[in-house]
Amino acid sequence: MSFANAPLVIVGAGHAGGRAALTLRGEGYSGRLILIGDERHPPYERPPLSKGLLQGRVELAGYSLCDSARLAELDIEHLAGNPVKCLEPQRHRLQLADGSWLHYARLLLATGGRSRRLASAPEHLLNLLYLRTHDEALALRVVLQPGTRVVIIGGGFIGLEVASTARVLGCTVTLLEAGPRLAGRVLPEQLSSVLLERHRSQGVDVRLNVAIEAVQGTTCVESVKLVDGQLLPCDLVVVGIGMQPNTELAVAAGLEVGQGIRVDAQLRTSAPDIFAAGDVCEFRLHPQGGFQRQETWRNAEAQGRHAALNLLGGELPFDAIPGFWSDQYDWGLQIVGVIANTQPTTSRATPGGGFLLFYLDAEQRLQGACGWGLGNSVGKDIKLCERLIALHNPLSMDALADADVPLKQLLRN
């Protein structure tokens, strides 16, 4: 049976799925295009949820990829509130929650993920909140009032950005991290240290190597009890302990799944005509490299566009250089390329008390870099580092470490 005239279908209407749909129309695809999402909102970007939206500086329209009127204008069928319940790759079809079946020519899985739940916290407690969606961010914004006693569980980027925002809004903040340092899974020790110093200087009570015994309360959280017996009375608990990728649909359909939906260099899954992109996608940065997922704005944007091109018949390998940023009060952290969770090869100071860390391979070629500085002060240097990574030329460690040698000069060399 031929499915050539069936629609292109995107399951997941977040950043990656939305970008893919818009790219398909931008590339001239005029056939039927269906975008299926769990949320009632049009596709949007997630970084503002823990920053601008919580602070009341931006609303949904400010970080949406488009609005409903634009989706209609582009003839993109946006199905909300009728999620996919079953996928049958052999028959090129899927079933929606209402029982209806839909055939597809090609399919993109951009199902994203959901917040990991805290096992020791009863789900029914009213002031126990997570932050992954627009609606969850709105619920959190309402209760972040001056004087509110907030306990944040998790010292990764969601926890740290919520802590920063909560302090700006006048809350009392205690942040609990199970590990020995902040964002320890993804950041080198030097960056973890400056983050710790920054948050403590802003009045956040950061506690490392902490184990939680119980989140206590009847209808609302009243306190968090630590294993060492300490009791932390609070008005609000925010849990930020990572993301659980939504792989259930792929697993049930028999697709190859590891920590995410596994794809080849073209973002194609183990099933014909099915691709994956965004937070749920597990891919190799290099043919010989290990599988990884990237939960970043940049990855959702790049893979959404890339998957769209390959849905149209392209055979383009995905080789984008990864990158990430985070705002912490009035300071910024930026990462480009691959940084090992080890000591950097070399570093340099930047004006205003910031620094750059460089990671080189055995042939002295730049693999990754990260920077810390006031505002966006390291932005230009990180962009130059991205170009140095792409060039793949051996570099002088002494020149990289010398703040008097502009990075642009290394590009010319």
Side-chain angles (χ1 to χ4, degrees):
M1 180 177 178
S2 171
F3 301 100
N5 296 321
L8 294 184
V9 176
I10 300 170
V11 181
H15 184 175
R19 181 55 67 206
L22 294 174
T23 301
L24 286 167
R25 287 297 190 233
E27 290 293 319
Y29 174 71
S30 58
R32 191 178 178 200
L33 177 55
I34 302 172
L35 180 64
I36 304 172
D38 291 341
E39 295 183 65
R40 57 192 172 88
H41 310 292
Y44 61 86
E45 302 171 349
R46 296 192 189 277
L49 297 183
S50 56
K51 306 164 192 169
L53 179 69
L54 279 191
Q55 293 179 21
R57 294 187 287 105
V58 66
E59 300 299 333
L60 181 62
Y63 54 90
S64 293
L65 300 186
C66 60
D67 57 19
S68 298
R70 181 61 177 157
L71 288 174
E73 182 186 325
L74 292 170
D75 198 20
I76 297 171
E77 299 175 45
H78 181 208
L79 306 184
N82 194 11
V84 177
K85 289 299 181 188
C86 175
L87 173 60
E88 296 185 354
Q90 299 84 358
R91 303 176 73 176
H92 268 63
R93 69 174 190 169
L94 53 83
Q95 187 179 37
L96 301 173
D98 64 7
S100 61
W101 289 91
L102 184 64
H103 283 95
Y104 61 85
R106 287 188 165 183
L107 177 73
L108 174 62
L109 295 175
T111 47
R114 58 195 183 275
S115 298
R116 289 188 186 277
R117 267 24 201 181
L118 184 66
S120 59
E123 283 287 312
H124 68 272
L125 297 172
L126 297 177
N127 54 344
L128 175 77
L129 300 180
Y130 294 83
L131 180 56
R132 172 74 187 170
T133 67
H134 170 76
D135 291 347
E136 287 174 336
L138 285 184
L140 180 56
R141 183 167 80 175
V142 169
V143 291
L144 286 180
Q145 301 295 327
T148 300
R149 298 169 299 171
V150 183
V151 170
I152 297 171
I153 299 174
F157 285 108
I158 286 294
L160 292 170
E161 288 174 0
V162 171
S164 171
T165 296
R167 283 299 296 141
V168 168
L169 294 173
C171 301
T172 301
V173 180
T174 301
L175 186 141
L176 308 177
E177 165 55 39
R181 54 191 181 89
L182 298 175
R185 286 190 304 112
V186 293
L187 290 185
E189 194 168 346
Q190 194 171 340
L191 274 171
S192 292
S193 295
V194 293
L195 280 174
L196 178 62
E197 181 186 325
R198 190 82 196 127
H199 279 271
R200 283 180 170 165
S201 74
Q202 296 298 313
V204 179
D205 180 4
V206 181
R207 306 191 186 190
L208 305 173
N209 298 304
V210 168
I212 295 165
E213 182 172 307
V215 176
Q216 299 180 326
T218 48
T219 57
C220 293
V221 177
E222 295 166 12
S223 61
V224 175
K225 185 178 182 181
L226 306 183
V227 167
D228 65 7
Q230 287 189 77
L231 210 58
L232 305 175
C234 57
D235 307 305
L236 170 67
V237 169
V238 181
V239 180
I241 54 172
M243 190 205 80
Q244 178 72 41
N246 292 328
T247 58
E248 290 80 2
L249 192 64
V251 169
L255 274 59
E256 186 180 353
V257 172
Q259 296 303 309
I261 303 172
R262 289 196 165 172
V263 297
D264 64 11
Q266 286 73 35
L267 304 183
R268 185 185 292 108
T269 71
S270 57
D273 299 323
I274 300 180
F275 296 76
D279 288 357
V280 78
C281 177
E282 192 179 39
F283 63 101
R284 286 186 168 106
L285 265 178
H286 306 290
Q288 291 79 35
F291 280 101
Q292 61 174 276
R293 285 189 310 105
Q294 290 180 8
E295 302 166 15
T296 67
W297 178 96
R298 181 168 171 150
N299 188 60
E301 178 75 11
Q303 286 192 341
R305 289 181 187 277
H306 202 90
L309 298 177
N310 287 344
L311 280 167
L312 293 174
E315 288 291 331
L316 306 166
F318 181 76
D319 57 2
I321 296 172
F324 174 77
W325 80 91
S326 177
D327 298 323
Q328 305 286 329
Y329 306 98
D330 49 352
W331 284 68
L333 176 158
Q334 295 193 36
I335 298 171
V336 68
V338 178
I339 64 166
N341 193 2
T342 56
Q343 288 297 316
T345 314
T346 189
S347 63
R348 73 161 63 181
T350 59
F355 56 82
L356 294 166
L357 307 179
F358 303 103
Y359 291 80
L360 282 73
D361 66 11
E363 283 75 42
Q364 301 294 95
R365 296 174 300 201
L366 190 64
Q367 299 296 295
C370 48
W372 171 255
L374 196 59
N376 190 38
S377 61
V378 296
K380 186 182 286 186
D381 284 334
I382 291 293
K383 282 196 172 84
L384 290 169
C385 286
E386 182 173 354
R387 292 171 63 188
L388 287 168
I389 292 169
L391 275 178
H392 220 53
N393 288 336
L395 298 169
S396 160
M397 273 210 301
D398 289 341
L400 278 174
D402 188 347
D404 292 328
V405 177
L407 293 177
K408 191 174 278 189
Q409 184 176 315
L410 299 182
L411 271 174
R412 289 195 293 267
N413 292 347

